[in-house]
Coordinates of all heavy atoms in Angstrom, one line a residue:
E44 N 0.5 3.8 -5.3 CA 0.7 2.8 -4.2 C 0.4 3.4 -2.8 O -0.2 2.8 -2.0 CB 2.0 2.2 -4.3 CG 2.2 1.3 -5.6 CD 3.6 0.8 -5.8 OE1 4.5 1.1 -5.0 OE2 3.8 0.0 -6.7
H45 N 1.0 4.5 -2.6 CA 0.9 5.1 -1.2 C -0.5 5.7 -1.0 O -1.0 5.6 0.1 CB 1.9 6.1 -1.0 CG 3.3 5.5 -0.7 ND1 4.1 5.1 -1.7 CD2 3.9 5.2 0.4 CE1 5.2 4.5 -1.2 NE2 5.1 4.6 0.1
G46 N -1.2 6.1 -2.1 CA -2.6 6.6 -1.9 C -3.5 5.4 -1.6 O -4.4 5.5 -0.7
I47 N -3.2 4.3 -2.2 CA -4.0 3.1 -1.9 C -3.8 2.6 -0.4 O -4.7 2.3 0.3 CB -3.7 1.9 -2.9 CG1 -4.3 2.3 -4.2 CG2 -4.3 0.6 -2.4 CD1 -3.8 1.4 -5.4
Q48 N -2.5 2.6 0.0 CA -2.1 2.3 1.4 C -2.8 3.2 2.4 O -3.3 2.7 3.4 CB -0.6 2.3 1.5 CG 0.1 1.1 0.8 CD 1.6 1.3 0.9 OE1 2.1 2.2 1.5 NE2 2.3 0.3 0.3
Q49 N -2.8 4.5 2.1 CA -3.4 5.5 3.0 C -4.9 5.2 3.1 O -5.5 5.3 4.2 CB -3.1 6.9 2.5 CG -1.7 7.3 2.8 CD -1.5 8.8 2.3 OE1 -2.4 9.4 1.8 NE2 -0.2 9.2 2.4
F50 N -5.6 5.0 1.9 CA -7.0 4.7 1.9 C -7.3 3.5 2.7 O -8.2 3.5 3.6 CB -7.5 4.6 0.5 CG -8.9 4.1 0.4 CD1 -10.0 4.9 0.7 CD2 -9.2 2.7 0.2 CE1 -11.3 4.5 0.7 CE2 -10.5 2.3 0.2 CZ -11.6 3.2 0.4
L51 N -6.6 2.4 2.5 CA -6.9 1.1 3.2 C -6.7 1.3 4.7 O -7.4 0.8 5.5 CB -6.1 0.0 2.7 CG -6.4 -0.5 1.3 CD1 -5.4 -1.5 0.8 CD2 -7.8 -1.0 1.2
S52 N -5.6 2.0 5.1 CA -5.4 2.3 6.5 C -6.5 3.0 7.2 O -7.0 2.7 8.2 CB -4.1 3.0 6.7 OG -3.8 3.4 8.0
M53 N -7.0 4.1 6.5 CA -8.1 4.9 7.0 C -9.4 4.1 7.1 O -10.1 4.1 8.0 CB -8.3 6.2 6.2 CG -9.4 7.0 6.6 SD -9.1 7.8 8.3 CE -7.8 8.9 7.9
F54 N -9.6 3.4 6.0 CA -10.8 2.5 5.9 C -10.9 1.5 7.0 O -11.9 1.3 7.7 CB -10.9 1.8 4.6 CG -12.1 0.9 4.5 CD1 -13.4 1.4 4.2 CD2 -11.9 -0.5 4.6 CE1 -14.4 0.5 4.2 CE2 -13.0 -1.4 4.5 CZ -14.2 -0.9 4.3
N55 N -9.8 0.8 7.3 CA -9.7 -0.2 8.3 C -9.9 0.4 9.7 O -10.4 -0.2 10.6 CB -8.4 -1.0 8.2 CG -8.4 -1.9 7.1 OD1 -9.5 -2.5 6.7 ND2 -7.3 -2.2 6.5
R56 N -9.4 1.7 9.9 CA -9.6 2.4 11.2 C -11.0 2.7 11.5 O -11.4 2.7 12.6 CB -8.7 3.6 11.2 CG -8.6 4.3 12.5 CD -7.6 5.4 12.5 NE -7.9 6.5 11.6 CZ -8.5 7.6 12.0 NH1 -8.9 7.8 13.2 NH2 -8.7 8.5 11.1
V57 N -11.8 3.1 10.5 CA -13.2 3.6 10.7 C -14.3 2.6 10.2 O -15.4 2.9 10.3 CB -13.4 4.9 10.0 CG1 -12.4 5.9 10.6 CG2 -13.2 4.9 8.5
R58 N -13.9 1.4 9.7 CA -14.9 0.6 9.1 C -16.0 0.1 10.1 O -17.1 -0.3 9.6 CB -14.2 -0.6 8.5 CG -13.7 -1.6 9.5 CD -12.9 -2.8 8.9 NE -13.6 -3.4 7.8 CZ -13.0 -4.2 6.9 NH1 -11.7 -4.4 7.0 NH2 -13.7 -4.7 6.0
T59 N -15.8 0.1 11.3 CA -16.8 -0.4 12.3 C -17.7 0.7 12.9 O -18.6 0.4 13.6 CB -16.1 -1.1 13.5 OG1 -15.2 -0.2 14.1 CG2 -15.4 -2.4 13.0
I60 N -17.4 2.0 12.5 CA -18.2 3.1 13.0 C -19.5 3.1 12.2 O -19.6 3.1 11.0 CB -17.4 4.4 12.8 CG1 -16.2 4.4 13.7 CG2 -18.4 5.6 13.2 CD1 -15.3 5.6 13.4
E61 N -20.6 3.1 13.0 CA -21.9 3.2 12.4 C -22.7 4.4 13.0 O -22.6 4.6 14.2 CB -22.7 1.9 12.6 CG -22.1 0.7 11.9 CD -22.9 -0.5 12.1 OE1 -24.0 -0.5 12.5 OE2 -22.4 -1.6 11.7
N62 N -23.5 5.0 12.2 CA -24.4 6.1 12.7 C -23.7 7.2 13.5 O -24.2 7.7 14.5 CB -25.6 5.5 13.5 CG -26.4 4.6 12.6 OD1 -26.7 4.9 11.5 ND2 -26.8 3.4 13.2
D63 N -22.5 7.5 13.1 CA -21.7 8.6 13.8 C -22.3 9.9 13.4 O -22.7 10.2 12.3 CB -20.3 8.5 13.3 CG -19.4 9.4 14.2 OD1 -19.7 9.6 15.4 OD2 -18.3 9.8 13.7
D64 N -22.5 10.8 14.4 CA -23.1 12.1 14.2 C -22.1 13.0 13.5 O -20.9 13.0 13.9 CB -23.5 12.8 15.5 CG -24.7 12.2 16.1 OD1 -25.5 11.6 15.4 OD2 -24.8 12.2 17.4
L65 N -22.5 13.7 12.4 CA -21.7 14.6 11.7 C -21.9 16.0 12.4 O -23.0 16.4 12.7 CB -22.0 14.7 10.2 CG -21.8 13.5 9.4 CD1 -22.2 13.7 8.0 CD2 -20.3 13.2 9.4
L66 N -20.8 16.6 12.8 CA -20.9 17.9 13.5 C -20.6 19.1 12.5 O -20.1 18.9 11.4 CB -19.9 17.9 14.6 CG -20.1 16.8 15.6 CD1 -19.0 16.8 16.7 CD2 -21.5 16.8 16.3
W67 N -20.9 20.3 13.0 CA -20.7 21.5 12.1 C -19.2 21.5 11.7 O -18.3 21.3 12.5 CB -21.0 22.7 13.0 CG -20.9 24.0 12.2 CD1 -19.8 24.8 12.3 CD2 -21.7 24.4 11.2 NE1 -20.0 25.9 11.4 CE2 -21.2 25.6 10.7 CE3 -22.9 24.0 10.6 CZ2 -21.8 26.4 9.7 CZ3 -23.5 24.8 9.6 CH2 -22.9 25.9 9.2
G68 N -19.0 21.6 10.4 CA -17.7 21.7 9.9 C -17.2 20.4 9.4 O -16.2 20.3 8.7
D69 N -17.8 19.3 9.8 CA -17.4 18.0 9.2 C -17.8 17.9 7.7 O -18.8 18.4 7.3 CB -18.2 16.8 9.9 CG -17.6 16.5 11.3 OD1 -16.6 17.1 11.7 OD2 -18.3 15.8 12.1
E70 N -16.9 17.3 7.0 CA -17.2 17.2 5.6 C -17.2 15.7 5.2 O -16.5 14.9 5.8 CB -16.2 17.9 4.7 CG -16.2 19.4 4.9 CD -15.2 20.1 4.0 OE1 -14.8 19.5 3.0 OE2 -14.8 21.2 4.3
V71 N -18.0 15.3 4.2 CA -18.1 14.0 3.8 C -17.8 14.0 2.3 O -18.5 14.6 1.5 CB -19.5 13.4 4.1 CG1 -19.6 12.0 3.5 CG2 -19.8 13.4 5.6
E72 N -16.8 13.2 1.9 CA -16.6 13.0 0.5 C -17.1 11.6 0.2 O -17.1 10.7 1.0 CB -15.1 13.0 0.2 CG -14.3 14.2 0.6 CD -14.6 15.4 -0.4 OE1 -14.9 15.1 -1.5 OE2 -14.4 16.5 0.1
F73 N -17.7 11.4 -1.0 CA -18.3 10.1 -1.3 C -18.1 9.8 -2.8 O -18.0 10.7 -3.6 CB -19.8 10.1 -0.9 CG -20.7 10.9 -1.8 CD1 -21.3 10.4 -2.9 CD2 -20.9 12.2 -1.4 CE1 -22.1 11.2 -3.7 CE2 -21.7 13.0 -2.2 CZ -22.3 12.5 -3.3
A74 N -18.1 8.6 -3.0 CA -18.2 8.1 -4.4 C -19.0 6.8 -4.3 O -19.0 6.0 -3.4 CB -16.8 7.7 -4.9
V75 N -19.9 6.6 -5.3 CA -20.7 5.4 -5.4 C -20.1 4.5 -6.4 O -19.9 4.9 -7.6 CB -22.1 5.7 -5.8 CG1 -23.0 4.5 -5.9 CG2 -22.7 6.7 -4.8
A76 N -19.7 3.3 -6.0 CA -19.0 2.4 -6.9 C -19.8 1.1 -7.0 O -20.6 0.7 -6.1 CB -17.6 2.1 -6.3
V77 N -19.6 0.4 -8.1 CA -20.3 -0.8 -8.4 C -19.1 -1.9 -8.6 O -18.3 -1.7 -9.4 CB -21.1 -0.8 -9.7 CG1 -21.7 -2.1 -10.0 CG2 -22.2 0.3 -9.6
L78 N -19.2 -2.9 -7.7 CA -18.2 -3.9 -7.7 C -18.7 -5.1 -8.5 O -19.7 -5.7 -8.2 CB -17.9 -4.4 -6.3 CG -16.9 -5.6 -6.1 CD1 -15.6 -5.2 -6.6 CD2 -16.9 -5.9 -4.6
D79 N -17.9 -5.6 -9.5 CA -18.2 -6.8 -10.3 C -17.1 -7.8 -9.9 O -16.0 -7.8 -10.4 CB -18.2 -6.5 -11.8 CG -18.6 -7.7 -12.6 OD1 -18.5 -8.8 -12.1 OD2 -18.9 -7.5 -13.8
E80 N -17.5 -8.6 -8.9 CA -16.5 -9.6 -8.4 C -16.1 -10.6 -9.4 O -14.9 -11.0 -9.5 CB -17.1 -10.3 -7.2 CG -17.2 -9.4 -6.0 CD -17.6 -10.1 -4.7 OE1 -16.9 -11.1 -4.4 OE2 -18.5 -9.6 -4.0
Q81 N -17.0 -11.0 -10.3 CA -16.6 -12.0 -11.3 C -15.6 -11.4 -12.3 O -14.6 -12.1 -12.7 CB -17.9 -12.5 -12.1 CG -18.7 -13.5 -11.4 CD -19.8 -14.0 -12.2 OE1 -20.5 -13.3 -13.0 NE2 -20.0 -15.3 -12.2
A82 N -15.8 -10.2 -12.7 CA -14.9 -9.6 -13.7 C -13.7 -9.0 -13.0 O -12.7 -8.7 -13.6 CB -15.6 -8.5 -14.5
G83 N -13.8 -8.8 -11.7 CA -12.7 -8.2 -10.9 C -12.5 -6.7 -11.2 O -11.4 -6.2 -11.2
T84 N -13.7 -6.0 -11.4 CA -13.6 -4.6 -11.7 C -14.5 -3.8 -10.8 O -15.4 -4.3 -10.2 CB -14.1 -4.3 -13.2 OG1 -15.5 -4.8 -13.3 CG2 -13.3 -5.1 -14.2
V85 N -14.1 -2.5 -10.7 CA -14.9 -1.6 -9.9 C -15.2 -0.4 -10.8 O -14.2 0.1 -11.5 CB -14.2 -1.1 -8.6 CG1 -15.0 0.0 -7.9 CG2 -13.9 -2.3 -7.7
K86 N -16.4 0.0 -10.9 CA -16.8 1.1 -11.8 C -17.5 2.2 -10.9 O -18.2 1.9 -10.1 CB -17.7 0.7 -12.9 CG -17.0 -0.3 -13.9 CD -17.9 -0.7 -15.0 CE -17.2 -1.7 -15.9 NZ -18.0 -2.1 -17.0
I87 N -17.2 3.5 -11.2 CA -17.8 4.6 -10.6 C -19.2 4.7 -11.1 O -19.4 4.7 -12.3 CB -17.0 5.9 -10.8 CG1 -15.7 5.8 -10.1 CG2 -17.8 7.1 -10.2 CD1 -15.6 5.6 -8.6
S88 N -20.2 4.8 -10.2 CA -21.6 5.0 -10.6 C -21.9 6.5 -10.8 O -21.3 7.3 -10.1 CB -22.5 4.5 -9.6 OG -23.9 4.8 -9.8
L89 N -22.7 6.8 -11.8 CA -23.1 8.2 -12.0 C -24.4 8.6 -11.3 O -24.9 9.6 -11.6 CB -23.2 8.4 -13.5 CG -21.9 8.2 -14.3 CD1 -22.1 8.4 -15.8 CD2 -20.8 9.0 -13.8
R90 N -24.8 7.7 -10.4 CA -26.0 8.0 -9.6 C -25.8 8.7 -8.3 O -26.8 8.9 -7.5 CB -26.7 6.7 -9.3 CG -27.2 5.9 -10.6 CD -28.0 4.7 -10.3 NE -29.2 5.0 -9.5 CZ -29.6 4.4 -8.4 NH1 -28.9 3.3 -8.0 NH2 -30.7 4.8 -7.7
G91 N -24.7 9.3 -8.1 CA -24.4 9.9 -6.8 C -25.3 11.1 -6.5 O -25.8 11.1 -5.4

Side-chain angles (χ1 to χ4, degrees):
E44 288 173 357
H45 285 82
I47 292 169
Q48 289 174 0
Q49 287 178 5
F50 170 79
L51 291 174
S52 175
M53 179 66 69
F54 176 77
N55 287 327
R56 188 170 63 95
V57 300
R58 72 185 310 163
T59 59
I60 297 173
E61 294 182 14
N62 298 317
D63 192 25
D64 289 332
L65 294 176
L66 304 175
W67 183 256
D69 286 348
E70 295 183 20
V71 176
E72 302 283 336
F73 70 93
V75 179
V77 178
L78 174 63
D79 183 341
E80 291 187 48
Q81 281 188 316
T84 60
V85 177
K86 296 181 181 177
I87 298 296
S88 172
L89 299 178
R90 295 186 59 224

